Amino acid sequence: MSAVATRGRVESPPERPRRAGGRRFRISENVAGYLFLSPWLVGLFVIVIGPMIASLYLSFTEYNPLTSPTWIGLDNYVRMFTDDPRFIASVKVTLIYVVVSVPLQLAFALFLAMVLDKGLRGLSFYRSVYYLPSLLGSSVAIAILWRRVFSGDGLVNGFLGVFGIEGRSWISEPATAVYTLVALSVWTFGAPMVIFLAGLRQIPDMYYEAASVDGAGRVRRFFSITVPLLTPVIFFNLILQMIGAFQAFTPAFVVSDGTGGPVDSTLFYTLYLYQEGFASFRMGYASAMAWVLFVVIALFTALNFAASKYWVFYGDER
């Protein structure tokens, strides 16, 4: 036992003198880092957080651009849920659009990704062609084209006429108008398809080979191997497409000429919010609608994350 231990205490090694030069170097590094981050920080506070705080305040006021805001408390929110039939109609239309379009789009994207995963020649070409609708799907030009395709004398009715079937004006009928927009959403399957294709490439072939040796058919291999190993990718696509569907605006605006017609059958939530804010100039009410939409999207996202532990598999864990 050393003499130091014998005396009952251990002497710590002498501290090195701090160098002022090293501290100045760290400070200059931090300053350089904040300078590089400053454009993003300015955008975050000036373009995102600042307007969000302002809209939260305006949601409790009666305000139009020609007058000063007048504090009215929760009146906008109370009116929204108790005295606004068009708000309820916009919620119903948006929920139908989200519930129908998102699963159909994901299923179609997964189907095409599995077809392309078979090792086709010219895969890069097909992948680019199928991805193109995702780039153009939300544009005004495609929405105008979509209106022509589903009009009374459009391409769809022309095709049905070949078989002697008399079509209707799909966009002018309240019963079918929203489903033409669902079809447009499904057509923009390119982005989730590319992500599915990347996920399929990560599944080892040995699982399929072992299942084939055990006599598993294609359907059994799909539901027992492909789907479980692809659940993280399915979950990722589900969240992205769901949030995008809640925020859909351009197709409904162009197809209905900004009215949400016929009979409010294409009155998406964002379109009604736009009408309240920029047509009726009820900015306070539109701000309240925006915050309700924000809370609803956050709630649906949180519910999906909570439910993911029952069906999403990460390796050998859920």
Side-chain angles (χ1 to χ4, degrees):
M1 186 177 294
S2 67
V4 175
T6 304
R7 287 195 297 269
R9 60 188 179 88
V10 177
E11 295 180 356
S12 59
E15 293 184 358
R16 292 181 178 179
R18 295 182 178 178
R19 292 181 298 181
R23 185 178 180 182
R24 285 197 297 270
F25 178 72
R26 287 195 297 273
I27 292 176
S28 64
E29 273 192 331
N30 292 337
V31 171
Y34 284 115
L35 283 177
F36 279 111
L37 283 174
S38 58
W40 181 83
L41 291 173
V42 170
L44 175 66
F45 287 102
V46 175
I47 301 177
V48 179
I49 294 180
M52 285 183 69
I53 295 174
S55 70
L56 180 60
Y57 165 72
L58 292 176
S59 70
F60 297 103
T61 67
E62 183 177 0
Y63 169 64
N64 68 64
L66 302 178
T67 62
S68 299
T70 303
W71 182 266
I72 58 173
L74 295 174
D75 285 2
N76 284 329
Y77 294 95
V78 173
R79 177 198 158 200
M80 196 181 304
F81 291 102
T82 61
D83 191 26
D84 190 353
R86 297 200 77 201
F87 170 80
I88 303 300
S90 69
V91 170
K92 289 180 180 177
V93 171
T94 304
L95 287 178
I96 291 173
Y97 179 77
V98 172
V99 171
V100 177
S101 69
V102 172
L104 286 178
Q105 186 192 51
L106 294 183
F108 195 57
L110 178 58
F111 170 74
L112 281 179
M114 294 189 66
V115 171
L116 295 178
D117 191 44
K118 300 299 182 183
L120 295 176
R121 289 184 177 179
L123 176 60
S124 300
F125 172 76
Y126 288 113
R127 193 167 48 198
S128 302
V129 169
Y130 288 138
Y131 186 72
L132 194 59
S134 291
L135 299 177
L136 303 176
S138 59
S139 66
V140 174
I142 293 300
I144 293 175
L145 174 65
W146 214 252
R147 188 169 60 184
R148 293 296 306 162
V149 168
F150 285 97
S151 63
D153 56 349
L155 185 62
V156 172
N157 284 342
F159 177 76
L160 294 176
V162 174
F163 301 97
I165 302 174
E166 184 178 356
R168 60 174 75 179
S169 179
W170 303 92
I171 290 178
S172 301
E173 292 284 343
T176 57
V178 68
Y179 296 104
T180 63
L181 301 179
V182 169
L184 176 57
S185 173
V186 175
W187 183 64
T188 59
F189 58 86
M193 183 205 69
V194 171
I195 298 174
F196 277 139
L197 190 57
L200 289 171
R201 293 297 175 89
Q202 303 301 316
I203 300 177
D205 291 334
M206 62 179 182
Y207 294 148
Y208 295 107
E209 294 169 358
S212 299
V213 171
D214 291 340
R218 290 184 177 181
V219 176
R220 181 64 182 273
R221 293 200 299 268
F222 175 75
F223 286 105
S224 299
I225 299 175
T226 304
V227 172
L229 294 180
L230 207 60
T231 49
V233 180
I234 296 174
F235 177 63
F236 178 75
N237 272 331
L238 173 65
I239 295 296
L240 288 186
Q241 300 308 316
M242 181 196 70
I243 294 175
F246 270 114
Q247 297 175 322
F249 171 78
T250 304
F253 180 84
V254 175
V255 168
S256 68
D257 288 328
T259 63
V263 199
D264 290 343
S265 59
T266 60
L267 185 65
F268 283 6
Y269 191 94
T270 51
L271 178 56
Y272 185 47
L273 189 156
Y274 169 83
Q275 291 178 350
E276 287 293 311
F278 296 97
S280 303
F281 298 109
R282 288 190 280 265
M283 292 293 182
Y285 191 71
S287 298
M289 288 186 63
W291 273 97
V292 169
L293 177 61
F294 175 78
V295 171
V296 168
I297 291 177
L299 182 61
F300 271 80
T301 303
L303 289 175
N304 274 291
F305 270 93
S308 67
K309 63 182 180 182
Y310 297 107
W311 64 276
V312 178
F313 301 91
Y314 297 96
D316 57 348
E317 297 179 354
R318 285 185 177 177

